[in-house]
Amino acid sequence: MAIAFTFPGQGSQAVGMGKALADSFPEAAAVFAEVDEALGEKLSDIIWNGPEETLTLTANAQPALMAVSIAVMRVLEARGLDLKKQVSFVAGHSLGEYSALCAAGTFSLADTARLLRIRGNAMQAAVPAGLGAMAAIIGLEHADVEAVCAEAKTLGACQIANDNGGGQIVISGEKDAVEKAAALATEKGAKRAILLPVSAPFHSTLMAPAADAMRAALAAVSMNAPVVPVIANVRAAPVSDAGEIAGLLVEQVTGQVRWRETVEWFAANNVTTLYEIGAGKVLTGLARRIDKTVTGIAVNTPADIDSALAALIG
């Protein structure tokens, strides 16, 4: 009956997120202040006041979501949570993997904020606007989506970016190829194939320049072994070695976020409860659809924190 903490990825952001935490808890306010200082700008003002289109920019959304997750963590820890004693594993969806690693002590908060700013900028700059695309394929098996991507590759790069589970798989690559794959998926019986309003083709081979940028950035920061193992996105298995984690984070930029397999790994290894730490409840919803034996619980408000502490430490 083990517990894991999961950390949300891009798409969970919303203007105003974390404001109630910062207003209620000095530990949370200190997180936002430290992130502002690390980045040399008032990201907290954008998080709490918008505008939404500025918060949604990849270079802002990534450190912003991490800040909210770590704000929740710092409040939990100030009130008695011991991650190493009460939690068996951490995992995060895409950028959420950095939040998970920060929570587990691999990176300092300031370094995590700077790494995610570098990551966001590098991912945005990797592909000229309009060249890439992403699409959500609903209701097709993984193997079928792989097959349509392979067929569409005659028009350019195309691959699975996120296997989110619950019948949702996101593909990414060059625009013509992704559009072709989406059409083929519909022919194969997909319930829906929807082009996503994203600014770049994340988790595709087109992100290779961003992977190079992250290799250099990760080589320049101090890394510790996480206090609990992280379930790496590209491996869907636990990792604790800091050097290995750095390599997997580089691989993650161009590789597949294996979230369905991550939740399945939890279920197969007696993890019964996933606390989603941070903004929104996307991962909580996915957990329910992937494996009914796993319970997802979103923790992002002061009331959520009280409930989580009561369950975790009594």
Side-chain angles (χ1 to χ4, degrees), residues 10 58 62 120 123-124 133-134 161-162 171-173 198-204 207 253 255:
Q10 211 161 328
T58 300
Q62 296 197 18
M123 292 170 84
Q124 192 61 62
M134 298 179 77
N162 305 334
I171 62 174
S172 182
V198 295
S199 54
F202 305 130
H203 298 290
S204 76
M207 289 285 114
V253 177

PDB file of all heavy atoms in Angstrom, residues 10 58 62 120 123-124 133-134 161-162 171-173 198-204 207 253 255:
ATOM      1  N   GLN A  10       2.801  20.830 -18.628  1.00  0.00           N
ATOM      2  CA  GLN A  10       2.245  21.987 -19.324  1.00  0.00           C
ATOM      3  C   GLN A  10       0.811  21.717 -19.758  1.00  0.00           C
ATOM      4  O   GLN A  10       0.478  20.606 -20.174  1.00  0.00           O
ATOM      5  CB  GLN A  10       3.116  22.304 -20.538  1.00  0.00           C
ATOM      6  CG  GLN A  10       3.158  23.777 -20.883  1.00  0.00           C
ATOM      7  CD  GLN A  10       4.348  24.121 -21.764  1.00  0.00           C
ATOM      8  OE1 GLN A  10       5.400  23.504 -21.671  1.00  0.00           O
ATOM      9  NE2 GLN A  10       4.190  25.092 -22.628  1.00  0.00           N
ATOM     10  N   THR A  58       5.747  28.946 -23.264  1.00  0.00           N
ATOM     11  CA  THR A  58       6.468  27.792 -22.733  1.00  0.00           C
ATOM     12  C   THR A  58       7.531  28.184 -21.714  1.00  0.00           C
ATOM     13  O   THR A  58       7.669  27.544 -20.667  1.00  0.00           O
ATOM     14  CB  THR A  58       7.105  27.012 -23.905  1.00  0.00           C
ATOM     15  OG1 THR A  58       6.052  26.594 -24.771  1.00  0.00           O
ATOM     16  CG2 THR A  58       7.854  25.792 -23.430  1.00  0.00           C
ATOM     17  N   GLN A  62       6.535  26.666 -17.810  1.00  0.00           N
ATOM     18  CA  GLN A  62       7.305  25.579 -17.203  1.00  0.00           C
ATOM     19  C   GLN A  62       7.798  25.927 -15.796  1.00  0.00           C
ATOM     20  O   GLN A  62       7.498  25.203 -14.838  1.00  0.00           O
ATOM     21  CB  GLN A  62       8.441  25.154 -18.138  1.00  0.00           C
ATOM     22  CG  GLN A  62       7.917  24.561 -19.442  1.00  0.00           C
ATOM     23  CD  GLN A  62       8.953  23.759 -20.220  1.00  0.00           C
ATOM     24  OE1 GLN A  62       9.967  23.340 -19.691  1.00  0.00           O
ATOM     25  NE2 GLN A  62       8.683  23.537 -21.491  1.00  0.00           N
ATOM     26  N   GLY A 120      12.353  25.796 -21.615  1.00  0.00           N
ATOM     27  CA  GLY A 120      11.233  26.408 -22.322  1.00  0.00           C
ATOM     28  C   GLY A 120      11.692  27.232 -23.515  1.00  0.00           C
ATOM     29  O   GLY A 120      11.139  27.128 -24.617  1.00  0.00           O
ATOM     30  N   MET A 123      13.142  24.848 -26.274  1.00  0.00           N
ATOM     31  CA  MET A 123      12.102  24.101 -26.987  1.00  0.00           C
ATOM     32  C   MET A 123      11.354  25.014 -27.961  1.00  0.00           C
ATOM     33  O   MET A 123      11.028  24.616 -29.083  1.00  0.00           O
ATOM     34  CB  MET A 123      11.139  23.453 -25.987  1.00  0.00           C
ATOM     35  CG  MET A 123      11.778  22.333 -25.180  1.00  0.00           C
ATOM     36  SD  MET A 123      10.766  21.728 -23.808  1.00  0.00           S
ATOM     37  CE  MET A 123       9.718  20.544 -24.636  1.00  0.00           C
ATOM     38  N   GLN A 124      11.123  26.260 -27.528  1.00  0.00           N
ATOM     39  CA  GLN A 124      10.430  27.217 -28.384  1.00  0.00           C
ATOM     40  C   GLN A 124      11.268  27.579 -29.611  1.00  0.00           C
ATOM     41  O   GLN A 124      10.759  27.735 -30.721  1.00  0.00           O
ATOM     42  CB  GLN A 124      10.117  28.487 -27.584  1.00  0.00           C
ATOM     43  CG  GLN A 124       9.149  29.419 -28.276  1.00  0.00           C
ATOM     44  CD  GLN A 124       7.805  28.767 -28.520  1.00  0.00           C
ATOM     45  OE1 GLN A 124       7.103  28.386 -27.599  1.00  0.00           O
ATOM     46  NE2 GLN A 124       7.445  28.604 -29.777  1.00  0.00           N
ATOM     47  N   ALA A 133       3.872  20.551 -35.478  1.00  0.00           N
ATOM     48  CA  ALA A 133       2.496  20.431 -34.989  1.00  0.00           C
ATOM     49  C   ALA A 133       2.406  19.254 -34.031  1.00  0.00           C
ATOM     50  O   ALA A 133       3.289  18.390 -33.995  1.00  0.00           O
ATOM     51  CB  ALA A 133       1.527  20.229 -36.153  1.00  0.00           C
ATOM     52  N   MET A 134       1.323  19.253 -33.243  1.00  0.00           N
ATOM     53  CA  MET A 134       0.997  18.120 -32.384  1.00  0.00           C
ATOM     54  C   MET A 134      -0.493  17.829 -32.530  1.00  0.00           C
ATOM     55  O   MET A 134      -1.277  18.725 -32.836  1.00  0.00           O
ATOM     56  CB  MET A 134       1.350  18.415 -30.917  1.00  0.00           C
ATOM     57  CG  MET A 134       2.826  18.676 -30.690  1.00  0.00           C
ATOM     58  SD  MET A 134       3.250  19.044 -28.956  1.00  0.00           S
ATOM     59  CE  MET A 134       3.202  17.379 -28.241  1.00  0.00           C
ATOM     60  N   ALA A 161       4.426  11.434 -28.885  1.00  0.00           N
ATOM     61  CA  ALA A 161       5.061  12.322 -27.919  1.00  0.00           C
ATOM     62  C   ALA A 161       4.661  11.964 -26.491  1.00  0.00           C
ATOM     63  O   ALA A 161       5.503  11.879 -25.601  1.00  0.00           O
ATOM     64  CB  ALA A 161       4.681  13.772 -28.214  1.00  0.00           C
ATOM     65  N   ASN A 162       3.366  11.778 -26.285  1.00  0.00           N
ATOM     66  CA  ASN A 162       2.832  11.457 -24.952  1.00  0.00           C
ATOM     67  C   ASN A 162       1.865  10.293 -25.064  1.00  0.00           C
ATOM     68  O   ASN A 162       0.880  10.387 -25.805  1.00  0.00           O
ATOM     69  CB  ASN A 162       2.036  12.638 -24.359  1.00  0.00           C
ATOM     70  CG  ASN A 162       2.803  13.929 -24.290  1.00  0.00           C
ATOM     71  OD1 ASN A 162       4.021  13.935 -24.212  1.00  0.00           O
ATOM     72  ND2 ASN A 162       2.088  15.038 -24.315  1.00  0.00           N
ATOM     73  N   ILE A 171       0.629  12.899 -30.693  1.00  0.00           N
ATOM     74  CA  ILE A 171       1.715  12.738 -31.659  1.00  0.00           C
ATOM     75  C   ILE A 171       2.326  14.100 -31.972  1.00  0.00           C
ATOM     76  O   ILE A 171       1.697  15.143 -31.756  1.00  0.00           O
ATOM     77  CB  ILE A 171       1.238  12.037 -32.950  1.00  0.00           C
ATOM     78  CG1 ILE A 171       0.163  12.874 -33.674  1.00  0.00           C
ATOM     79  CG2 ILE A 171       0.721  10.637 -32.628  1.00  0.00           C
ATOM     80  CD1 ILE A 171      -0.241  12.308 -35.045  1.00  0.00           C
ATOM     81  N   SER A 172       3.560  14.075 -32.469  1.00  0.00           N
ATOM     82  CA  SER A 172       4.294  15.324 -32.664  1.00  0.00           C
ATOM     83  C   SER A 172       5.248  15.173 -33.834  1.00  0.00           C
ATOM     84  O   SER A 172       5.731  14.078 -34.134  1.00  0.00           O
ATOM     85  CB  SER A 172       5.081  15.640 -31.381  1.00  0.00           C
ATOM     86  OG  SER A 172       5.772  16.866 -31.478  1.00  0.00           O
ATOM     87  N   GLY A 173       5.526  16.292 -34.511  1.00  0.00           N
ATOM     88  CA  GLY A 173       6.495  16.256 -35.611  1.00  0.00           C
ATOM     89  C   GLY A 173       6.263  17.395 -36.588  1.00  0.00           C
ATOM     90  O   GLY A 173       5.708  18.448 -36.231  1.00  0.00           O
ATOM     91  N   VAL A 198      -0.553  24.252 -29.908  1.00  0.00           N
ATOM     92  CA  VAL A 198       0.752  24.342 -29.245  1.00  0.00           C
ATOM     93  C   VAL A 198       1.710  25.162 -30.092  1.00  0.00           C
ATOM     94  O   VAL A 198       1.508  25.332 -31.300  1.00  0.00           O
ATOM     95  CB  VAL A 198       1.346  22.943 -28.972  1.00  0.00           C
ATOM     96  CG1 VAL A 198       0.489  22.172 -27.979  1.00  0.00           C
ATOM     97  CG2 VAL A 198       1.505  22.154 -30.263  1.00  0.00           C
ATOM     98  N   SER A 199       2.760  25.646 -29.438  1.00  0.00           N
ATOM     99  CA  SER A 199       3.683  26.545 -30.117  1.00  0.00           C
ATOM    100  C   SER A 199       4.865  25.824 -30.754  1.00  0.00           C
ATOM    101  O   SER A 199       5.634  26.436 -31.497  1.00  0.00           O
ATOM    102  CB  SER A 199       4.199  27.586 -29.122  1.00  0.00           C
ATOM    103  OG  SER A 199       4.756  26.943 -27.993  1.00  0.00           O
ATOM    104  N   ALA A 200       5.032  24.535 -30.475  1.00  0.00           N
ATOM    105  CA  ALA A 200       6.160  23.781 -31.029  1.00  0.00           C
ATOM    106  C   ALA A 200       5.866  22.280 -30.930  1.00  0.00           C
ATOM    107  O   ALA A 200       5.023  21.866 -30.133  1.00  0.00           O
ATOM    108  CB  ALA A 200       7.452  24.121 -30.278  1.00  0.00           C
ATOM    109  N   PRO A 201       6.561  21.468 -31.733  1.00  0.00           N
ATOM    110  CA  PRO A 201       6.345  20.014 -31.712  1.00  0.00           C
ATOM    111  C   PRO A 201       7.168  19.333 -30.611  1.00  0.00           C
ATOM    112  O   PRO A 201       8.228  18.763 -30.845  1.00  0.00           O
ATOM    113  CB  PRO A 201       6.809  19.582 -33.105  1.00  0.00           C
ATOM    114  CG  PRO A 201       7.887  20.570 -33.454  1.00  0.00           C
ATOM    115  CD  PRO A 201       7.493  21.867 -32.821  1.00  0.00           C
ATOM    116  N   PHE A 202       6.674  19.428 -29.372  1.00  0.00           N
ATOM    117  CA  PHE A 202       7.403  18.907 -28.220  1.00  0.00           C
ATOM    118  C   PHE A 202       7.556  17.384 -28.291  1.00  0.00           C
ATOM    119  O   PHE A 202       6.750  16.695 -28.891  1.00  0.00           O
ATOM    120  CB  PHE A 202       6.692  19.301 -26.921  1.00  0.00           C
ATOM    121  CG  PHE A 202       6.477  20.781 -26.786  1.00  0.00           C
ATOM    122  CD1 PHE A 202       5.230  21.288 -26.468  1.00  0.00           C
ATOM    123  CD2 PHE A 202       7.521  21.673 -26.989  1.00  0.00           C
ATOM    124  CE1 PHE A 202       5.023  22.663 -26.341  1.00  0.00           C
ATOM    125  CE2 PHE A 202       7.333  23.043 -26.862  1.00  0.00           C
ATOM    126  CZ  PHE A 202       6.075  23.540 -26.546  1.00  0.00           C
ATOM    127  N   HIS A 203       8.606  16.899 -27.633  1.00  0.00           N
ATOM    128  CA  HIS A 203       8.874  15.461 -27.545  1.00  0.00           C
ATOM    129  C   HIS A 203       8.922  14.795 -28.928  1.00  0.00           C
ATOM    130  O   HIS A 203       8.348  13.731 -29.153  1.00  0.00           O
ATOM    131  CB  HIS A 203       7.848  14.771 -26.636  1.00  0.00           C
ATOM    132  CG  HIS A 203       7.891  15.281 -25.226  1.00  0.00           C
ATOM    133  ND1 HIS A 203       8.943  15.022 -24.384  1.00  0.00           N
ATOM    134  CD2 HIS A 203       7.040  16.074 -24.539  1.00  0.00           C
ATOM    135  CE1 HIS A 203       8.722  15.630 -23.223  1.00  0.00           C
ATOM    136  NE2 HIS A 203       7.581  16.285 -23.302  1.00  0.00           N
ATOM    137  N   SER A 204       9.590  15.470 -29.852  1.00  0.00           N
ATOM    138  CA  SER A 204       9.840  14.878 -31.170  1.00  0.00           C
ATOM    139  C   SER A 204      11.314  15.072 -31.518  1.00  0.00           C
ATOM    140  O   SER A 204      12.014  15.852 -30.874  1.00  0.00           O
ATOM    141  CB  SER A 204       8.955  15.528 -32.240  1.00  0.00           C
ATOM    142  OG  SER A 204       9.451  16.817 -32.592  1.00  0.00           O
ATOM    143  N   MET A 207      13.100  18.419 -31.734  1.00  0.00           N
ATOM    144  CA  MET A 207      13.569  19.109 -30.528  1.00  0.00           C
ATOM    145  C   MET A 207      15.057  18.845 -30.239  1.00  0.00           C
ATOM    146  O   MET A 207      15.549  19.214 -29.169  1.00  0.00           O
ATOM    147  CB  MET A 207      12.737  18.656 -29.317  1.00  0.00           C
ATOM    148  CG  MET A 207      11.316  19.176 -29.314  1.00  0.00           C
ATOM    149  SD  MET A 207      11.207  20.919 -28.872  1.00  0.00           S
ATOM    150  CE  MET A 207      10.613  21.579 -30.440  1.00  0.00           C
ATOM    151  N   VAL A 253      13.568  15.214 -23.880  1.00  0.00           N
ATOM    152  CA  VAL A 253      13.230  16.355 -24.740  1.00  0.00           C
ATOM    153  C   VAL A 253      12.748  15.880 -26.113  1.00  0.00           C
ATOM    154  O   VAL A 253      11.823  16.452 -26.692  1.00  0.00           O
ATOM    155  CB  VAL A 253      14.440  17.307 -24.893  1.00  0.00           C
ATOM    156  CG1 VAL A 253      14.116  18.461 -25.842  1.00  0.00           C
ATOM    157  CG2 VAL A 253      14.874  17.856 -23.537  1.00  0.00           C
ATOM    158  N   GLY A 255      12.059  12.476 -26.623  1.00  0.00           N
ATOM    159  CA  GLY A 255      11.477  11.145 -26.435  1.00  0.00           C
ATOM    160  C   GLY A 255      10.048  11.169 -25.946  1.00  0.00           C
ATOM    161  O   GLY A 255       9.444  12.217 -25.719  1.00  0.00           O
TER     162      GLY A 255
END
